[in-house]
Amino acid sequence: MELLLILLLLQVTAANSFSAEIENSSLRQATRGKSIQWVGSHELDSLRPLQRTKRTWVITTIDVQEEDKGPFPKYAGQLFNKKSFNTSLKYLISGPGVDEPPEIGLFSIEDDVNGHVYVHRTIDREKTPTFLIRFDIEDRKTGEPLDRPLFFKIKVKDINDNAPEFSKEEYSITIAENHSKGEPVFQVTASDKDEAGTANSQVSYSISMQMPTPDGFTFSIDPTTGSILLSRCLDYQTANSFKLLIKASDQGSPQLSSTATVNVAVEDANNHLPVFTSDSYQLQVSAGQENPAVLRLQVQDKDSPNTPAWRAKYRVAKGNEKEEFSIETDPATNEGILSIIKPLSYESDSEMRLVISVANEEPFFLCKDGVVMTSDLESTNTTVNIKVTQSQRAPKFHPPVLIVQKEDSMKPGRVFRKYPATYPDDVPTKIKYKLAHDPDGWLSVDENSGVLTVAKEFDEESPFVNNSLYTIIVQATAQGFPPQTGTGTILLYLSDINDHMPSLLAPSLDVCDKAGTPLTVQAKPALVHAHSGPFTFELDEDSEGVKRNWTLGRNFGQSVELLMLRSLPQGSYLVPIIIQDRQGFSTRQKQHIRLCFCPDGHTCKDSPAARAVVGLGGGAIAIILMAFLLLLVSSILLCRCFGSGSTSKAVVPPQEGEQTLINYNEESRSSFSENCPFTGYEIFQARNLDHLLQRVERTLGQKLYYQSTLEDSRDSDEPCRYSEEGELERSDSLCSVSIGSEDLPVDFLNNLGPRFSALEEICQKTSQ
């Protein structure tokens, strides 16, 4: 044992001697010459001998503070080495901040005899927080190093010159309405560039502003972590969004802070149950029949439409033990559609009672004392009382559900729709109609025809409008014993559902004016119902012009014939047609028709006669009419002188649909050579005729002035403008001269001759 101790002491002594030699050799190599090489502190530590040595360097605190404004150069501290006694030495400084980056030229030793260290400019601690400086001493005469170099870390003193910074200036988040107040909504973080672990970089959070603050509801925030919390339950109906201004502050002096905005969107959750609009329903059905969509049940739900919190799920809770009924949700209206899927038996169950239950797709929740809780109450109920009648069949509406979109033309007094019901097998039966459900009184129905008329303006704010939908139920009762009743449902949408509606394939048609030639009007399916045909077509006869001029012919499923009831002038017409697909979607469309002249019998082209008239100016037409007027006067004078004594009649139609019969008693015919002697009555007629001619001349002058004004103000090729719904627009023109029939002689029209016919044709072409 003693031998081992002796050997160990010898090994330690040898190691100390060897280490000291290495240290002296390394120092000589590191400090040889004028150039001073960098030696890391870890290298110095490895070169130090294991034996304890005396300190020869003494350094005061080098105090450097960031953002110091000077004046510069500014004294920072002093060096001292014990080997300076009785020796002329020189202090040297090198390294980063002196002759190496970063911050070259920041530090220096201005007094190399006494080792005074100076700083030369402002320092940014956040850019360079520390500097590892090397100090050396050498003999002033020989330049030999006198001691090992000293590596000293200069730490820049921090001041609070940086405010906390958020990673973003604005955040947008979404939270559910049933979010629990104990769970963080969101967490914000801010960082401070000042020295870590000091008050200058310690961040605390607060909410400096919240909008809105409904009923005192506020968000809270953890001041240390930045986690945002709820103070109580959210209510989407009260406030569906919030804006928070979050403040981050440090603890330095002076205290600095910054802000960020958090936009919170609340997502509606199911805290409102669907409620039936009626506590009970009465239904009468015939035995032995399946009946799809026999009843539609409507609910109201205060949650956001078209979300899982609003969408309804229906089921027959009681009374469907034989599985005779089914119920499903209409995705467009959220209504429950009750159908009879198995024929009902009159003998076994003449009266039935169903309990219908409704719930939402999303579970229902409650908020109690600020805590979100799941509720066992998830559904509401209604009852349907069904009376099963004998197999005598009731009237049926076609379609059972009629879907209509609100139109601008639906004003009080206008026809809304024809919605007739038919008796099975087309048995002639008298049917009476009435409105079974029209809670706001929007429509009225003719009890005999079933024609529905708008009774009042459609009000979108009506309490009976649910999700822009108003429901009307029409009842048709067949007179018999017992009376049989059927119902039809009208879904009136106040919003735009054009994507679901059929429409005209070609809204505008050019047609040759051939009398008796049927036109073909084609329909196309809705965008979302590609196979919704075949279609039914109905002429909207809520206009006298339509009834008088047009009718529908054969229906080909995708198209229908449109027939003219009489010969119509060339021009533009708008014919309103109601198109309905097999799913019950019904829309009113206006078919634009242009009746035109076809030289080849097939292609529309402007009439040559019309072009010739268009080329004539007002002066040319005036000459023609003045010539006609002179001819007219001459003809009348001759007729007066050579008229017979017979009684004649003249029929003048001042307007379509009216006829006036005028009787004239004339004396016997006399000779012109007798200088046309007039009786007192004939003198009266001559004076009356003179008054007539003056009136014609005056009226003609007014028309010519009007025509010349038009020619000066518009292009002569401008087409005529026409009114809507099947009639040409009435307007004053050069060819329209209004003269009462009572002013004309009996044979006024009969004696005009072919010249007037030609002029009449020109005027008609001009008016077109």
Side-chain angles (χ1 to χ4, degrees):
M1 190 68 180
E2 294 178 354
L3 181 60
L4 289 174
L5 290 173
I6 295 171
L7 291 175
L8 182 59
L9 290 172
L10 290 174
Q11 185 176 3
V12 170
T13 304
N16 287 341
S17 175
F18 180 71
S19 298
E21 188 64 28
I22 291 177
E23 179 184 6
N24 294 333
S25 175
S26 299
L27 286 175
R28 284 194 297 269
Q29 293 176 0
T31 58
R32 183 176 295 130
K34 294 290 183 179
S35 61
I36 301 176
Q37 297 182 0
W38 180 270
V39 180
S41 59
H42 64 280
E43 297 179 74
L44 290 178
D45 291 339
S46 65
L47 295 177
R48 288 171 184 160
L50 295 180
Q51 64 186 15
R52 191 168 181 176
T53 59
K54 265 187 177 183
R55 294 181 179 268
T56 57
W57 285 98
V58 177
I59 187 169
T60 62
T61 301
I62 299 180
D63 189 8
V64 178
Q65 179 175 295
E66 70 167 326
E67 304 301 336
D68 192 341
K69 303 304 180 183
F72 300 105
K74 186 174 182 179
Y75 175 78
Q78 183 178 6
L79 302 174
F80 178 74
N81 191 289
K82 293 181 179 180
K83 294 186 178 181
S84 63
F85 292 108
N86 301 320
T87 305
S88 177
L89 56 80
K90 181 180 180 181
Y91 290 94
L92 303 175
I93 184 172
S94 62
V98 182
D99 54 0
E100 296 179 12
E103 301 284 350
I104 296 176
L106 180 62
F107 299 102
S108 69
I109 295 181
E110 295 297 314
D111 184 357
D112 60 5
V113 176
N114 297 311
H116 292 173
V117 179
Y118 286 81
V119 61
H120 290 263
R121 59 179 179 270
T122 299
I123 306 172
D124 184 0
R125 193 208 68 86
E126 284 69 43
K127 186 176 180 181
T128 311
T130 60
F131 296 86
L132 187 60
I133 306 298
R134 173 173 174 159
F135 296 103
D136 290 276
I137 58 172
E138 64 180 24
D139 189 286
R140 186 175 293 274
K141 294 180 180 179
T142 64
E144 289 292 324
L146 300 178
D147 199 352
R148 293 180 302 170
L150 171 67
F151 291 87
F152 186 80
K153 180 183 287 187
I154 298 177
K155 184 178 180 182
V156 181
K157 186 178 180 181
D158 184 39
I159 64 170
N160 192 26
D161 60 341
N162 290 278
E165 293 182 0
F166 290 95
S167 57
K168 294 170 63 176
E169 292 184 359
E170 188 169 2
Y171 303 85
S172 295
I173 63 172
T174 300
I175 60 173
E177 183 183 16
N178 56 358
H179 192 95
S180 176
K181 74 173 185 178
E183 300 176 5
V185 172
F186 187 64
Q187 184 178 16
V188 293
T189 56
S191 59
D192 196 308
K193 295 180 180 179
D194 290 317
E195 186 174 356
T198 66
N200 292 344
S201 61
Q202 184 180 347
V203 180
S204 62
Y205 302 92
S206 61
I207 299 177
S208 60
M209 185 272 290
Q210 172 185 320
M211 293 181 61
T213 56
D215 299 328
F217 171 83
T218 59
F219 288 83
S220 62
I221 190 169
D222 187 302
T224 304
T225 65
S227 295
I228 300 173
L229 304 169
L230 302 176
S231 60
R232 55 185 173 88
C233 296
L234 293 164
D235 186 352
Y236 179 86
Q237 278 66 37
T238 302
N240 57 18
S241 65
F242 296 89
K243 177 175 283 189
L244 308 178
L245 189 64
I246 310 298
K247 182 179 181 181
S249 305
D250 60 28
Q251 307 305 309
S253 180
Q255 190 177 54
L256 302 178
S257 63
S258 62
T259 59
T261 301
V262 178
N263 298 308
V264 182
V266 181
E267 186 178 63
D268 194 16
N270 187 21
N271 61 339
H272 295 91
L273 288 174
V275 179
F276 287 98
T277 56
S278 178
D279 294 333
S280 63
Y281 296 85
Q282 309 299 320
L283 186 62
Q284 180 177 301
V285 297
S286 298
Q289 298 181 40
E290 295 181 2
N291 199 334
V294 67
L295 181 65
R296 298 179 76 94
L297 298 92
Q298 195 175 67
V299 295
Q300 291 181 337
D301 196 314
K302 294 182 180 179
D303 292 314
S304 298
N306 302 312
T307 64
W310 175 85
R311 284 191 286 266
K313 297 187 303 181
Y314 298 87
R315 68 184 183 93
V316 183
K318 290 183 181 179
N320 195 28
E321 289 76 13
K322 297 181 181 179
E323 297 182 349
E324 298 164 309
F325 302 90
S326 70
I327 189 167
E328 59 184 9
T329 304
D330 185 333
T333 66
N334 212 34
E335 293 177 314
I337 305 174
L338 181 66
S339 301
I340 301 174
I341 57 176
K342 292 182 181 180
L344 303 180
S345 172
Y346 174 77
E347 289 76 14
S348 60
D349 295 303
S350 61
E351 292 188 357
M352 307 178 69
R353 181 175 180 272
L354 302 179
V355 177
I356 309 296
S357 175
V358 63
N360 293 121
E361 293 181 0
E362 183 179 290
F364 179 72
F365 79 93
L366 290 173
C367 180
K368 186 175 181 180
D369 298 329
V371 179
V372 173
M373 303 176 62
T374 302
S375 173
D376 295 333
L377 180 64
E378 291 192 0
S379 62
T380 58
N381 299 330
T382 189
T383 58
V384 180
N385 299 307
I386 303 174
K387 184 177 181 179
V388 183
T389 62
Q390 293 183 357
S391 57
Q392 296 174 346
R393 301 171 70 183
K396 286 188 175 181
F397 285 89
H398 304 282
V401 179
L402 181 66
I403 305 170
V404 181
Q405 177 179 310
K406 178 186 175 183
E407 301 164 358
D408 293 338
S409 61
M410 292 178 179
K411 302 295 183 183
R414 296 292 299 271
V415 172
F416 176 77
R417 283 292 189 277
K418 289 182 179 179
Y419 193 31
T422 58
Y423 202 69
D425 303 322
D426 296 328
V427 177
T429 305
K430 189 174 182 180
I431 297 177
K432 293 288 187 180
Y433 297 89
K434 72 174 184 178
L435 291 172
H437 180 75
D438 182 13
D440 218 3
W442 287 4
L443 301 180
S444 63
V445 62
D446 186 288
E447 66 171 359
N448 295 315
S449 65
V451 174
L452 295 160
T453 304
V454 179
K456 61 186 291 189
E457 292 282 353
F458 300 159
D459 182 12
E460 297 185 16
E461 303 300 325
S462 169
F464 303 102
V465 174
N466 184 22
N467 195 30
S468 295
L469 176 66
Y470 184 78
T471 303
I472 303 155
I473 299 177
V474 186
Q475 191 176 78
T477 303
Q479 304 302 304
F481 186 80
Q484 301 294 310
T485 300
T487 59
T489 302
I490 299 175
L491 302 180
L492 174 57
Y493 280 90
L494 305 183
S495 59
D496 185 357
I497 56 169
N498 284 326
D499 289 347
H500 297 264
M501 291 292 182
S503 59
L504 291 170
L505 181 63
S508 181
L509 295 175
D510 287 350
V511 182
C512 298
D513 58 349
K514 289 184 179 180
T517 303
L519 315 178
T520 301
V521 176
Q522 291 181 287
K524 63 179 180 179
L527 294 175
V528 297
H529 305 303
H531 305 287
S532 59
F535 306 101
T536 60
F537 300 86
E538 178 187 343
L539 198 62
D540 183 6
E541 297 181 356
D542 192 22
S543 168
E544 291 299 323
V546 173
K547 295 178 182 178
R548 191 168 59 246
N549 296 335
W550 309 92
T551 188
L552 294 182
R554 293 174 296 173
N555 186 342
F556 302 105
Q558 304 293 328
S559 62
V560 69
E561 288 181 337
L562 179 63
L563 304 172
M564 287 185 288
L565 294 176
R566 62 193 182 97
S567 179
L568 298 175
Q570 296 177 16
S572 295
Y573 299 86
L574 288 177
V575 182
I577 299 175
I578 296 174
I579 307 173
Q580 180 180 300
D581 64 19
R582 62 181 179 180
Q583 297 185 353
F585 288 90
S586 174
T587 181
R588 182 185 279 104
Q589 302 271 298
K590 288 185 178 180
Q591 179 70 68
H592 177 266
I593 296 173
R594 185 170 71 98
L595 291 180
C596 50
F597 176 71
C598 300
D600 59 358
H602 304 286
T603 305
C604 281
K605 191 175 183 181
D606 292 339
S607 170
R611 288 200 302 269
V613 173
V614 169
L616 294 177
I621 296 177
I623 294 173
I624 295 174
L625 290 178
M626 290 300 293
F628 160 71
L629 184 59
L630 293 174
L631 177 63
L632 175 64
V633 174
S634 301
S635 300
I636 293 174
L637 290 175
L638 290 174
C639 290
R640 294 271 61 80
C641 293
F642 297 101
S644 65
S646 62
T647 301
S648 60
K649 301 176 181 179
V651 178
V652 181
Q655 292 183 1
E656 184 180 339
E658 297 182 8
Q659 290 185 342
T660 304
L661 185 63
I662 308 172
N663 295 325
Y664 290 93
N665 293 323
E666 297 183 351
E667 301 295 333
S668 60
R669 184 178 304 171
S670 58
S671 173
F672 184 78
S673 61
E674 300 177 17
N675 296 320
C676 287
F678 293 95
T679 64
Y681 179 74
E682 290 172 336
I683 294 173
F684 170 77
Q685 281 191 328
R687 291 176 179 175
N688 191 33
L689 180 59
D690 183 68
H691 173 70
L692 168 64
L693 294 176
Q694 292 177 4
R695 181 176 174 183
V696 170
E697 183 178 4
R698 182 173 62 253
T699 305
L700 181 60
Q702 294 174 353
K703 299 297 181 180
L704 289 175
Y705 174 78
Y706 176 72
Q707 177 68 20
S708 63
T709 302
L710 287 180
E711 290 178 350
D712 293 338
S713 61
R714 71 177 184 182
D715 188 355
S716 61
D717 290 334
E718 181 179 348
C720 297
R721 295 181 176 87
Y722 303 109
S723 63
E724 293 187 357
E725 300 193 338
E727 280 194 311
L728 286 168
E729 181 182 13
R730 297 181 182 272
S731 62
D732 293 334
S733 68
L734 179 65
C735 301
S736 174
V737 181
S738 177
I739 302 174
S741 61
E742 68 274 9
D743 297 332
L744 300 175
V746 63
D747 53 358
F748 179 80
L749 296 178
N750 298 332
N751 295 322
L752 292 179
R755 293 181 178 85
F756 180 80
S757 300
L759 181 63
E760 180 186 20
E761 180 182 356
I762 292 174
C763 289
Q764 287 180 352
K765 296 298 183 180
T766 305
S767 66
Q768 294 170 9

